Amino acid sequence: MHLTDLQTPALVLEPHKLRANAERMRARAEALGVRLRPHMKTAKSHDIGKVAHSGVTGPITVATLNEAEYFAAHGWTDVLYAVCIAPGKLDRVAALTARGVKLTVIVDALEAAQAVAEHAGTHSAMVEIDCGEDRTGISPDDPALVAMGRVLHTAAGCTFEGVMTHGGHSYSEHEPSAMAQVAEDERAHAVRAGDALRAAGLPCSTVSVGSTPTATHARHLEGVTEMRPGVYLLGDLFQSGVGSCTSADIACTVLATVISHRRHSNRIVVDAGGLALSKDRSTAGTPFDAGYGLVLDALTGQPLGDLCVTSVHQEHGEITSRDPMPWKALPIGALVRILPNHICMTAAMYERYHLLGHGGQIDGIWTRTNGWAERPAQ
Amino acid sequence: MHLTDLQTPALVLEPHKLRANAERMRARAEALGVRLRPHMKTAKSHDIGKVAHSGVTGPITVATLNEAEYFAAHGWTDVLYAVCIAPGKLDRVAALTARGVKLTVIVDALEAAQAVAEHAGTHSAMVEIDCGEDRTGISPDDPALVAMGRVLHTAAGCTFEGVMTHGGHSYSEHEPSAMAQVAEDERAHAVRAGDALRAAGLPCSTVSVGSTPTATHARHLEGVTEMRPGVYLLGDLFQSGVGSCTSADIACTVLATVISHRRHSNRIVVDAGGLALSKDRSTAGTPFDAGYGLVLDALTGQPLGDLCVTSVHQEHGEITSRDPMPWKALPIGALVRILPNHICMTAAMYERYHLLGHGGQIDGIWTRTNGWAERPAQ
């Protein structure tokens, strides 16, 4: 099958870019002296997980229990579920643990720690630390940290693993030095939390940090045991805008077809709209606002001038340009590829990746998981 | 099963509200003297399609071929695919037609009309008219209209059905009189296009218009044969903001669980974020900006003060309030339901609807289709 045979919109993956992104981050983790626990909330694909770990299963992070169940079904056994656990999900967690998966949950409240401690299943748990984003997590100086650690450590059937944090405030920075400072926020807060636990006589074998920008810009990770970047595997325009990658590293694009010419207003309409691209506007307010995505030649992958998708309807994307539109190069029926603003949101609309090889050949299909539904054990 | 047994986030549907919304629009179509061809791009569910047509299959509109294939598999045989056809999709269209489905495609360019006319399959086609939105479609005064009509009418194996238009510019209006004017734009443009075709000796059996706001506010639809509202079945905060429904009519909500308390900043975090709610911000700039959704008590469905989801991460939603947060009513683990800004975008993240009955009982599950993948014939 060839790229031109695909029904659009479709998600296209360039495996050589993916492999290079994976290799770069593995080298980075090795240089920093930490374990790499890639966050699979972006790629949601066991095939891509294998690329992240150079061909084998390994430690991963997930953002939903659906992802945990999907990876467990494909043989992955060391999973951190990095969203504060809702007590009503503990049966589902325990079912995975009973199948031999080490699925570590996180808490940031004593009530949640108590719910984990009192649950009948076997559990592995950590405390989430806030290092400046103020999304979830507690201060390393909050006495609740030791209280939670003690509840989890002393509970029968519960293993207390340590602490984790996410420097999500890196996403509002655009300068390498500011990113490096957020990385240091992550490191310093997590290490201080680990120290507080140990000073109280509690174990803290894991000190976990991470986001793609901080993993890229951290100066050192002394005292940290693992990092959890995720979007680096595929990349997107926001990440290239903040220096986590270049736009040439972005491994994933949306294939779309030209369906209408608007000559009177210098616009072209494609069949990729708000669902196919997502309504994410991460590049708004950055030095290069790409609207809903930057338009590439489908086969060469080179940008088509300054063409961007600047407006979306559910199934329509409107492409505009400051220059005259290249009508002849883009007749009705022509294919383009679109670089996404935020690949976590865009890829979530697709069930599969089409693997782009030499000369536009499609070399295979990789599946992904989506949503929150319970997946049956396999 | 009870609402409190559901894993979150989950999509919850209140069938009595759906039925009332469906009944109201059926009465409206009858009063206006037009056929109702509901747009299934919102609900994407054959069960909901049946409710729209009071228990039977009937004419519908879709926005993707995946939807067309899904409905065809469930016995629906009169489908308008209301996005300009890409020539590369005609084989897939013809495969459905060969299975006995009348699947009508639309074009707004002579090249596309020629591609339909020259395709080996049997086709039904219409021309899209622009009535002021300037998304796709041509002016009723454009000579290309008659040229396209002639190409389609004279082609062997092709039936030319007429014209359709969509007054999407109603979405930037907030006043009933302005909505009524957009409805008149739809009607007048479509009727003028039909007249132009007939004056040229071409048939025009279908004159199709529609959106939920214009269907709600149209003063009359003289000369129109059918209308295609869609979002009215489920409703959302944007539609209630522009007077297409009341917030009490909104039939679909997202069930979420409280996972973190941020007492220092008067915020609560739930497990429904940018994927579970979508990043749609349709209510921004309207008199009532609901952020990413308005928070309801899970069981009563009543608003919890002014609580809204005002910030989202991939799997985290941050709830804020101008008043002190009702911490005791919303402990960690508590359920809330969230009214969506734009249900077309939000529902697209889910594979199923959970039907909410009396006292929080879940009376059943209805599936939906999503994405663009080809569905096998059944």
Side-chain angles (χ1 to χ4, degrees), chain B residues 186-222:
Chain B
E186 281 189 333
R187 189 198 71 79
H189 283 71
V191 168
R192 194 155 89 240
D195 289 346
L197 288 164
R198 291 185 203 100
L202 291 165
C204 182
S205 61
T206 300
V207 177
S208 176
V209 303
S211 74
T212 289
T214 56
T216 305
H217 292 286
R219 294 197 184 97
H220 72 92
L221 289 181
E222 202 179 314

Side-chain angles (χ1 to χ4, degrees), chain A residues 114-132:
Chain A
Q114 283 162 340
V116 174
E118 290 162 13
H119 189 264
T122 302
H123 292 288
S124 164
M126 300 172 78
V127 174
E128 182 172 14
I129 302 300
D130 174 38
C131 65

Side-chain angles (χ1 to χ4, degrees), chain A residues 89 108 260 267 271 279, chain B residues 89 108 134 260 267 271 280:
Chain A
K89 292 177 181 168
D108 78 350
S260 182
R267 285 178 298 127
D271 64 352
K279 288 210 165 177
Chain B
K89 293 177 181 168
D108 77 352
D134 195 16
S260 183
R267 285 180 299 128
D271 63 353
D280 189 276

Side-chain angles (χ1 to χ4, degrees), chain A residues 300-313:
Chain A
T300 68
Q302 294 303 307
L304 287 167
D306 68 345
L307 271 60
C308 282
V309 179
T310 49
S311 174
V312 290
H313 309 261

Side-chain angles (χ1 to χ4, degrees), chain A residues 7-9 41 44 63-64 83-84 86-89 92 108-109 111 130 133-137 257 259-260 262 264-265 267 269 271 274-276 279-280 313-316 318 332-333 342 344-345 348-352 370 372-374, chain B residues 7-9 41 44 63-64 83-84 86-89 92 108-109 111 130 133-137 257 259-260 262 264-265 267 269 271 274-276 279-280 313-316 318 332-333 342 344-345 348-352 370 372-374:
Chain A
Q7 288 288 292
T8 57
K41 79 186 179 85
K44 298 197 185 201
T64 68
V83 176
C84 288
K89 292 177 181 168
R92 199 168 160 193
D108 78 350
E111 307 93 286
D130 174 38
E133 183 184 23
D134 195 16
R135 180 179 74 180
T136 45
T257 304
I259 59 169
S260 182
R262 317 298 293 164
H264 59 281
S265 53
R267 285 178 298 127
V269 181
D271 64 352
L275 284 180
K279 288 210 165 177
D280 190 276
H313 309 261
Q314 184 164 337
E315 299 291 348
H316 298 77
E318 297 187 4
I332 287 175
H342 186 174
C344 307
M345 302 301 294
M349 307 313 298
Y350 298 87
E351 294 167 14
R352 51 186 68 88
N370 284 311
W372 303 270
E374 288 185 70
Chain B
Q7 289 287 291
T8 57
K41 78 186 179 84
K44 297 196 184 200
T64 68
V83 175
C84 288
K89 293 177 181 168
R92 200 169 160 192
D108 77 352
E111 309 93 285
D130 175 37
E133 182 182 25
D134 195 16
R135 181 179 74 180
T136 45
T257 305
I259 59 168
S260 183
R262 318 297 294 162
H264 58 282
S265 53
R267 285 180 299 128
V269 181
D271 63 353
L275 284 180
K279 288 208 166 180
D280 189 276
H313 310 260
Q314 184 163 338
E315 299 291 349
H316 299 77
E318 297 187 4
I332 288 176
H342 186 174
C344 306
M345 302 301 293
M349 307 312 298
Y350 298 86
E351 296 167 12
R352 51 186 68 88
N370 285 309
W372 304 270
E374 287 183 73

Side-chain angles (χ1 to χ4, degrees), chain B residues 10-34:
Chain B
L11 197 61
V12 173
L13 176 65
E14 294 176 81
H16 68 286
K17 294 187 178 183
L18 166 67
R19 283 192 296 270
N21 295 339
E23 177 56 41
R24 202 165 57 242
M25 193 60 84
R26 276 200 303 276
R28 184 91 186 115
E30 198 174 312
L32 289 164
V34 297

